[in-house]
């Protein structure tokens, strides 16, 4: 008998790591239920610990009594359970490069992640990136360009996989903070935003109530436009 799987996530408006874990599980076609922890609740940390067997982070995948924490571990679990889903490229060198980029996203690009937090309730069209954010974008663009030139797109290794799931929240940041990238990289951003599973996440995020975070989350400048997140497929 297969143990029941529950993916514990934060609310969709803000939780970039939850999006990554949810995307790899959904792309793999694995059945799971969701348990939402609202990150704006005063007691959300205790609720997270209770839901994740004491781990205290999202996403966490509960399978029976086992808790698999961390989006990268969830991606590897999903790839092993659904080997035909193509979460990692078939070619050994491409697979190694995809894992390398996923790990870099997992632990790097801290300026971009800090100064441009994922926020699906607002856009910040006049945001001015500092040198740290620009440096992260330059590194990101170089890595994406190398892969897109190898694969011819639309995703980094041709088909949507785990590495693209890890960069989907970056695409949301690029769009939400009106960041500038090359036309080739913007095509990749748009491909990520238009992916049906990303669209499904964005659509669900728009139904969340009372999540429009005020301008206190490390944002230095820009236009605060509540609710200015269109369903991107319609743009």
């Amino acid at each position: 008998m297969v143990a029941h799987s529950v993916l514990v996530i934060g609310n969709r408006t803000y939780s970039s790591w939850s999006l990554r874990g949810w995307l790899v599980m959904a792309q793999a076609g694995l059945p799971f239920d969701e348990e939402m922890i609202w990150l704006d609740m005063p007691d959300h940390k205790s609720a997270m610990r209770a839901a994740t067997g004491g781990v205290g982070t999202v996403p966490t995948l509960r399978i029976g009594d086992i808790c698999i924490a961390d989006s990268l571990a969830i991606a590897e679990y999903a790839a092993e359970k659904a080997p035909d889903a193509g979460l990692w490229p078939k070619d050994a060198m491409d697979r190694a490069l995809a894992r390398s980029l996923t790990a870099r996203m997992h632990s790097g690009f801290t300026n971009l992640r800090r100064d441009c937090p994922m926020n699906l309730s607002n856009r910040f069209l006049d945001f001015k990136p500092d040198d740290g954010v620009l440096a992260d974008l330059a590194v990101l663009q170089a890595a994406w360009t190398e892969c897109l030139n190898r694969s011819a797109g639309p995703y980094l290794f041709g088909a949507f996989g785990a590495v693209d799931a890890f960069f989907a929240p970056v695409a949301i940041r690029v769009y939400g903070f009106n960041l500038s990238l090359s036309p080739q990289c913007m095509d990749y951003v748009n491909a990520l935003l238009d992916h049906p599973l990303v669209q499904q996440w964005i659509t669900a995020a728009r139904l969340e109530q009372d999540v429009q975070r005020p301008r206190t989350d490390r944002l230095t400048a820009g236009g605060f436009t509540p609710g200015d997140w269109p369903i991107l497929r319609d743009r």
Side-chain angles (χ1 to χ4, degrees):
M1 181 177 178
V2 178
H4 182 62
S5 295
V6 177
L7 187 66
V8 184
I9 60 175
N11 51 301
R12 287 174 170 82
T13 302
Y14 306 138
S15 188
S16 58
W17 290 109
S18 295
L19 171 57
R20 293 177 173 104
W22 185 88
L23 282 173
V24 294
M25 288 291 290
Q27 182 70 14
L30 297 174
F32 64 94
D33 290 332
E34 297 176 13
E35 185 171 335
M36 177 80 71
I37 304 296
W38 288 86
L39 301 180
D40 286 334
M41 292 191 311
D43 61 343
H44 74 275
K45 290 185 178 180
S46 60
M48 246 192 292
R49 286 192 295 271
T52 61
V55 172
T57 61
V58 291
T60 291
L61 181 64
R62 285 201 323 259
I63 306 172
D65 295 331
I66 302 298
C67 289
I68 302 172
D70 193 280
S71 53
L72 187 54
I74 293 169
E76 293 291 6
Y77 170 83
E80 290 184 5
K81 293 295 288 184
D84 295 332
L87 288 180
W88 298 116
K90 291 183 178 180
D91 179 79
M93 187 58 68
D94 283 350
R95 191 162 58 250
L97 181 56
R99 282 194 165 106
S100 174
L101 284 174
T102 302
R104 288 171 66 186
M105 182 65 250
H106 188 262
S107 61
F109 305 105
T110 53
N111 295 300
L112 176 63
R113 288 160 53 189
R114 180 188 65 244
D115 291 351
C116 303
M118 191 173 95
N119 189 325
L120 282 166
S121 66
N122 302 290
R123 293 190 70 202
F124 306 96
L125 299 179
D126 297 325
F127 176 76
K128 306 300 182 186
D130 64 14
D131 289 344
V133 173
L134 292 174
D136 277 356
L137 289 174
V139 173
L140 192 71
Q141 182 164 280
W144 285 1
T145 300
E146 177 186 356
C147 292
L148 293 168
N149 286 341
R150 283 166 57 90
S151 70
Y155 302 108
L156 291 184
F157 295 89
F160 185 89
V163 65
D164 304 295
F166 270 65
F167 283 122
V170 175
I172 291 171
R173 287 170 162 95
V174 169
Y175 178 77
F177 287 84
N178 202 29
L179 302 175
S180 179
L181 294 171
S182 71
Q184 183 184 34
C185 289
M186 288 305 299
D187 285 345
Y188 174 55
V189 165
N190 288 327
L192 289 175
L193 294 176
D194 284 335
H195 189 279
L197 290 175
V198 178
Q199 286 287 310
Q200 183 178 333
W201 181 278
I202 292 171
T203 300
R206 287 174 62 83
L207 300 178
E208 295 179 349
Q209 301 296 314
D210 300 322
V211 296
Q212 290 180 355
R213 181 174 291 178
R215 287 189 44 80
T216 58
D217 53 353
R218 304 181 299 278
L219 300 177
T220 59
F224 182 67
T225 52
D228 186 23
W229 256 99
I231 300 300
L232 293 164
R233 189 171 297 282
D234 296 335
R235 70 179 184 279

